[in-house]
Amino acid sequence: MNYQMIWTGHTRTVATTADLAATLEEITIQTSTGLPMAVTVLPAGHEHLTPYDDDFPDCLEVGLGHPERAFVRWMGHDGGYGYQPDLPPGPAGLRFDYGGQPIHPEPHELRVSPPAARHAVEEFITTGQRPTHLLWQPAQ
């Protein structure tokens, strides 16, 4: 299955781990000169939908590009934020670019390391399921 990765001004189709690696590298280069990015990862063909549409698919929103912290949000059944239990809450005030607007994740939403966030995206595009290497807390 193909997936779309969408972030401010960009959409990339990802079908393989090589596609994913190239896209993650592109995001890393872009964030080196600005804010980290909030990236939506969803099955291809659904990028025109919003979370308010009845047929919106399970997907991930991932904060990428900060050197120490990331977020992983599951937008599906049993939605919520992924976290690593051994990682304390992140610092307050971190901003991510979400479609050209800054968002400010809560410290408890930033309990994911950048490698674990990348792994979550890889697991999702491989299985189509909520990543299993993170624990999950309900969205508040």
Side-chain angles (χ1 to χ4, degrees):
M1 174 181 280
N2 291 336
Y3 287 84
Q4 293 290 328
M5 292 183 69
I6 303 168
W7 69 101
T8 303
H10 299 85
T11 301
R12 298 291 179 271
T13 300
V14 176
T16 66
T17 54
D19 294 341
L20 176 61
T23 301
L24 291 173
E25 180 62 23
E26 182 179 357
I27 293 167
T28 299
I29 290 168
Q30 289 176 356
T31 60
S32 68
T33 60
L35 289 178
M37 294 286 169
V39 180
T40 302
V41 185
L42 71 162
H46 293 90
E47 53 276 2
H48 64 284
L49 299 174
T50 72
Y52 303 106
D53 292 316
D54 290 337
D55 54 348
F56 190 72
D58 291 346
C59 69
L60 285 179
E61 286 184 343
V62 184
L64 299 172
H66 188 273
E68 297 174 13
R69 293 301 178 121
F71 68 84
V72 177
R73 181 178 180 203
W74 178 246
M75 303 279 293
H77 179 70
D78 293 329
Y81 285 89
Y83 69 97
Q84 295 171 261
D86 58 335
L87 195 62
L94 286 185
R95 297 179 307 152
F96 289 78
D97 183 324
Y98 186 77
Q101 298 296 317
I103 60 169
H104 306 11
E106 297 292 329
H108 71 273
E109 297 168 354
L110 294 166
R111 290 183 62 189
V112 180
S113 68
R118 289 172 172 250
H119 181 81
V121 175
E122 183 174 354
E123 186 174 342
F124 178 61
I125 70 160
T126 302
T127 67
Q129 303 295 312
R130 184 173 79 172
T132 58
H133 71 287
L134 298 172
L135 298 180
W136 294 90
Q137 60 187 345
Q140 297 178 8

